Amino acid sequence: MREGEFGLEINAGHLMGVDEGDLLALLPSAASSLDDALGYAEVTFSDTFLAEIEPVAVEGFEAVDPFGLPEGVFARALEDDVDFTLRVAAPEGDIPDELAAALAFLAEDAAQRLEFVPAGDPADVRLAVIPDSPRPGAVYLLPGSGFFEADKADQTPSVGFEGRDAFEIAGAMEASLETISRAVNLLRMGGQYDQTDLDVRLTLQTRNRRERELRDLDTASVPKLIPRDEVHVLAVNNEDFPIDANVLYIGSDYSISHFWRGRLNPGDELKKGLFRITDEAFGRDRVIIILSPAEAGSDEPLDLRFLAQDAVVVTRGTGISGGGFAGALREAGFGTTTRGATAIDDGSGPSPAILQFDLDTVPES
């Protein structure tokens, strides 16, 4: 949480299930329980990745002074369910008949996972046909903000529709939206399930050729990293039981990389180099660390490598034919039949956690 241009801001928006009118608890830290709440705030504005909040009075709490809050205050949504529906905004204006038919096929075929909304409504993906772009015969899959840079069109996912029938177009779009949905839903789970009662100390660190000593990343803000910067993790298990950990990386291109899994026994300290920033894509990336109490009797740590996927195909021209914590993560995939909200805490013991750290990768100046 930080002071923004129009008041208090948090790095969470529609994508993480934070919407206008939601009530958030203001907590001393991410690990705090609701019993430790300093006060409450209401979301007054929400964008894809950002929300503005305003302290409010609720029963037992007066509206807190937003400038009197201690440093490091964490805002937590009061709902712990995750909606896995991918909201897709229709293109603005008139569109070719074959594309309109493809969207109708897609809406029917993937109804359990897709919700098509009007062009101006909040959405996870915005479809756009841009006649003066490098691909006038394609529909672009833009982020929820709708931001499009013509000089980076070759890095923006798109599906060609000229010379193809509606079934081919729908198949190609479904493949791209499936890739996007898996990344979006994993981020949603991270945004909704980032509180934990597990006593694990986690620190992200970085170094590069110019500064070879590891130094802590300031994750209270969004650090900027350039190509060849390294990211490391330092983790200490302060619990008296083993904890399984998986480390993933979600790129701005919707790729999901699985970098490490392992088991931290009581008192164990993990020092692990994770990855090095490349110049293949720039934007808002996320490190996701998933912690869960080790399953009794299991000799192997929880294996979440099935979550890994390649980036969404930038230019797709042809069609395509055709319980428990880990179970909830599988349910976040696009191709299942259950729609709606899914809680992943079964109440049987210490809760697992999905901790998210945002990074901005930028070109070297």
Side-chain angles (χ1 to χ4, degrees), residues 145-162:
S145 64
F147 184 67
F148 176 76
E149 291 182 275
D151 60 347
K152 294 184 179 178
D154 60 345
Q155 301 176 29
T156 303
S158 62
V159 173
F161 55 76
E162 289 185 336

Side-chain angles (χ1 to χ4, degrees), residues 251-309:
S252 58
D253 55 6
Y254 302 105
S255 61
I256 303 176
S257 302
H258 186 283
F259 281 109
W260 185 81
R261 74 179 179 108
R263 178 162 293 172
L264 298 175
N265 289 308
D268 277 359
E269 179 179 87
L270 168 70
K271 294 181 178 180
K272 179 72 176 176
L274 297 177
F275 54 86
R276 182 180 291 109
I277 302 299
T278 71
D279 58 2
E280 295 177 3
F282 299 112
R284 177 64 56 88
D285 296 348
R286 276 97 179 170
V287 178
I288 305 291
I289 300 178
I290 301 178
L291 304 173
S292 57
E295 184 178 349
S298 170
D299 295 327
E300 290 291 325
L302 181 68
D303 189 351
L304 299 181
R305 285 177 291 184
F306 65 84
L307 293 171
Q309 67 177 17

Side-chain angles (χ1 to χ4, degrees), residues 157-201:
S158 62
V159 173
F161 55 76
E162 289 185 336
R164 298 185 172 89
D165 63 33
F167 286 105
E168 284 185 303
I169 299 166
M173 291 187 66
E174 186 166 2
S176 293
L177 290 170
E178 178 179 355
T179 299
I180 294 172
S181 184
R182 287 181 181 137
V184 165
N185 284 336
L186 184 54
L187 289 173
R188 282 175 172 158
M189 291 185 71
Q192 292 289 327
Y193 214 68
D194 52 8
Q195 65 268 26
T196 179
D197 51 6
L198 295 175
D199 189 2
V200 178
R201 180 166 61 87

